[in-house]
Amino acid sequence: MSEYKDTVLVSGGAGYIGTHTAVALIEAGYDVVIIDNFSNSEPTAIEGVEKIVGRKVTFEKVDTCDINALRGVFERHEFSTVIHFAAYKAVGESMHEPLKYYMNNLVSYMNILELMKEFRRPNVLFSSSATVYGDAETLPVTEQTPRQPATSPYGNTKQIAEDILRDCCRAYEGFHGIALRYFNPIGAHPSALIGELPRGVPNNLIPFITQTAAGIRECLSVFGNDYDTPDGTCLRDYIDVLDLAKAHVAAVNRMVDGKMKEKYEIFNVGTGTPVSVLELLNRFIKANGVDVPYKIVARREGDVPAVWADTTLANKELGWKAERDLDDTLRASWNWEKHVRGIK
């Protein structure tokens, strides 16, 4: 454990990326205050974080859409930096329930920013997404690649939130923001104490694969094999959640240490390597020696054919690079699923 650095408020910190980032922050010498309302996570996630770091973690059950409850957190705790994860994240669901997504994802976010301004807390790290690039005209995408119109309300909430943060950094003295545009986070902590635990039918590929391998789902649906890609299935940039968590620590360090070159900065966080859905599935089967029945079904609304990152800027400015081996990541995903299901 390095010397104490600062305290970071982690909203949505019981979620998949939130838990892994909380662990990485604590291991880097930060204190964390986690808030979550467990709308898409479980209290056991906090217990997992505590087991990994070997101590109690400050946690409050708070809905970030409730500004009065959130104000209490700002009154009770001193912190200079907020990482805002709390959001609904299912692309498909957002197509059918846009208001649910706009209300939750933007109100909660504006509440955070309003209180940052009121309490003069200077640093915001926003959990953005590669969805802001939409169906990009050129690949790989850099941070300068023009954002295309969002293909889903979920993606639009990320675009709007980025614009809000940019405008706040421009308008308010002492206000700094970084948006990390994630590609496709996968994997789990090697301890199998924390990982991705979606409620109901998973929206992300890896939990669907692991649940099918575990016999919870009868068959994996592969959405479309007629895309203009080498094997007809979508190409994505799959990044290990541990690498992603380290990118957050690097970004927080940059803000806390006063190293930002602009008041608002954007970084792509991916591997830079495109992998198709079928390739990922076959790598999982081979790495873990399990069977995963699958079928090809119609394309899914809101999916783009291909997107992957140019990570040159994050590598240079954050001193960060994705390092985890994909097969190790896929083994960690399966170990987590087995741990959750009690499979030997």
Side-chain angles (χ1 to χ4, degrees):
M1 177 71 70
S2 57
E3 63 180 293
Y4 168 71
K5 291 182 176 178
D6 203 348
T7 300
V8 180
L9 177 70
V10 185
S11 78
Y16 173 44
I17 302 169
T19 48
H20 289 83
T21 300
V23 167
L25 286 165
I26 292 165
E27 288 176 345
Y30 289 94
D31 260 350
V32 298
V33 175
I34 296 175
I35 56 173
D36 206 300
N37 66 348
F38 298 129
S39 66
N40 193 32
S41 57
E42 303 292 341
T44 50
I46 304 297
E47 294 166 19
V49 170
E50 291 176 338
K51 282 179 187 167
I52 292 167
V53 300
R55 62 182 173 89
K56 292 292 285 181
V57 172
T58 304
F59 171 78
E60 293 195 27
K61 187 177 178 184
V62 173
D63 184 343
T64 45
C65 286
D66 181 345
I67 195 162
N68 291 325
L70 196 54
R71 180 174 279 107
V73 174
F74 277 74
E75 288 167 349
R76 286 187 291 276
H77 303 283
E78 284 295 328
F79 48 84
S80 68
T81 305
V82 174
I83 303 180
H84 184 61
F85 292 114
Y88 293 145
K89 61 175 188 176
V91 170
E93 183 188 49
S94 79
M95 304 291 283
H96 303 290
E97 297 196 55
L99 274 179
K100 174 180 174 180
Y101 275 69
Y102 288 118
M103 288 288 288
N104 182 75
N105 292 11
L106 296 177
V107 170
S108 66
Y109 181 55
M110 288 189 286
N111 285 346
I112 289 275
L113 295 175
E114 178 68 31
L115 293 168
M116 295 291 285
K117 176 170 160 277
E118 184 181 320
F119 285 82
R120 296 186 176 278
R121 309 287 171 86
N123 303 319
V124 182
L125 179 52
F126 175 60
S127 157
S128 192
S129 163
T131 56
V132 301
Y133 294 113
D135 192 357
E137 289 174 9
T138 55
L139 291 165
V141 291
T142 72
E143 290 79 359
Q144 278 70 50
T145 298
R147 297 185 324 189
Q148 297 296 325
T151 56
S152 69
Y154 163 76
N156 203 25
T157 66
K158 294 297 185 186
Q159 289 192 353
I160 293 166
E162 282 191 359
D163 293 346
I164 293 169
L165 184 56
R166 177 201 63 209
D167 293 346
C168 287
C169 292
R170 197 178 282 162
Y172 305 133
E173 196 180 339
F175 214 86
H176 298 86
I178 292 179
L180 295 185
R181 291 176 175 166
Y182 318 154
F183 284 71
N184 290 66
I186 61 171
H189 197 272
S191 66
L193 289 167
I194 53 174
E196 190 170 7
L197 189 61
R199 290 190 172 173
V201 179
N203 290 289
N204 293 343
L205 178 58
I206 285 293
F208 216 119
I209 290 176
T210 58
Q211 289 188 15
T212 306
I216 291 144
R217 308 280 159 206
E218 200 174 304
C219 188
L220 171 73
S221 295
V222 174
F223 297 105
N225 67 343
D226 56 350
Y227 287 101
D228 184 17
T229 61
D231 66 12
T233 63
C234 290
L235 289 172
R236 294 291 182 267
D237 185 337
Y238 296 98
I239 177 166
D240 190 293
V241 69
L242 300 185
D243 282 331
L244 180 58
K246 286 179 180 172
H248 290 80
V249 176
V252 170
N253 287 342
R254 185 174 175 85
M255 291 195 283
V256 169
D257 296 341
K259 298 281 179 63
M260 290 178 68
K261 291 180 177 172
E262 308 284 341
K263 289 185 69 185
Y264 172 61
E265 297 179 336
I266 299 164
F267 298 101
N268 283 340
V269 184
T271 64
T273 304
V275 177
S276 80
V277 171
L278 280 182
E279 186 186 346
L280 191 76
L281 174 60
N282 289 321
R283 288 278 292 266
F284 178 89
I285 290 167
K286 192 173 175 188
N288 291 297
V290 292
D291 186 36
V292 182
Y294 72 93
K295 63 183 177 195
I296 307 294
V297 298
R299 292 183 180 193
R300 183 170 58 178
E301 212 177 0
D303 278 345
V304 299
V307 65
W308 69 92
D310 180 323
T311 61
T312 306
L313 190 67
N315 301 158
K316 177 172 173 278
E317 292 296 326
L318 296 178
W320 167 90
K321 196 173 191 304
E323 295 169 333
R324 300 266 300 164
D325 175 74
L326 180 57
D327 291 338
D328 288 344
T329 303
L330 295 172
R331 280 188 279 268
S333 296
W334 179 230
N335 287 338
W336 161 247
E337 187 69 45
K338 288 192 291 185
H339 170 76
V340 170
R341 309 295 169 191
I343 299 169
K344 291 292 181 239

